[in-house]
Structures are given as C-alpha cells and as structure tokens.
Amino acid sequence: QVQLVESGGGLVQAGESLRLSCTASGIIFSLSPMSWYRQAPGKQRELVASINIGGRPNYADSVKGRFTISRDNAKNTVYLQMNSLKPEDTAVYYCNADYVQVYWGQGTQVTVSS
C-alpha cells in the first residue's frame, strides 16, 4: 500500500519560513519523481516544484528564488523549504509521487498572514 504523509504546515506571518516534509512508503522512492502541488480556495491545484530521480529541481515562476525542493532517498522523504512566504502562498500543499501511477498525500495547510 502506497502512502505519502506530509507534515510541516502551519500558520506564519509574511516573510517567515516553513519546511514541508513528505515521507513515502510502498514505492521505490529513489525511482520516483516527486512533486509539491498546492491548491488555494476557489483555485485549481497547481504545480509548485518538482524533483526528478537525479535530483534536478524545477519550480513554478511564482516561487523561484524563495522555495527549494530537495530529496533524501535514504529517508524516503522529499522536502520543500519555503522562505519569504507571502499571503498568496496560502494553500493546502500536496505531495505527489509519479511511480507507475500517480499518488497523492492528504495535504498540509499553509497559512500566511499579512
């Protein structure tokens, strides 16, 4: 059974930082491209950042220079370091694994107050 468990969300003020974690089980993590998506109220889910099996990251323009995605294959975990947070970053953040099929975590809420 595949499970993706996110953690690290919370309520912060604008300009502060958070680090999200997503730990995977039931997949060969080192062979799985991983991504973070987010969905704000009333909006479609959007890609925030992705990292391939070689560790190469890719970012949405809205988070470039502020967010960093990384992975630790020994811990089956992908991270999203979020710095200089803005109110528009407020959303539920979802972890995504693309391993044979696409899997999603349950989401973690990030709220940034102005």
Side-chain angles (χ1 to χ4, degrees), residues 34-110:
M34 301 295 296
S35 302
W36 286 97
Y37 284 73
R38 67 186 180 188
Q39 188 167 19
K43 295 188 177 181
Q44 289 189 331
R45 192 172 296 190
E46 63 175 358
L47 177 66
V48 175
S50 61
I51 187 166
N52 67 11
I53 61 174
R56 182 173 182 174
N58 183 58
Y59 299 99
D61 287 343
S62 59
V63 306
K64 280 181 181 176
R66 299 189 298 121
F67 290 11
T68 302
I69 188 171
S70 61
R71 64 189 299 156
D72 185 338
N73 290 341
K75 295 182 178 181
N76 284 5
T77 300
V78 62
Y79 303 98
L80 185 67
Q81 178 66 44
M82 306 186 293
N83 298 330
S84 302
L85 282 160
K86 304 175 180 180
E88 51 263 44
D89 294 318
T90 295
V92 178
Y93 284 70
Y94 297 92
C95 177
N96 168 293
D98 188 3
Y99 178 75
V100 182
Q101 65 183 70
V102 174
Y103 298 95
W104 294 93
Q106 81 286 354
T108 185
Q109 176 71 46
V110 172

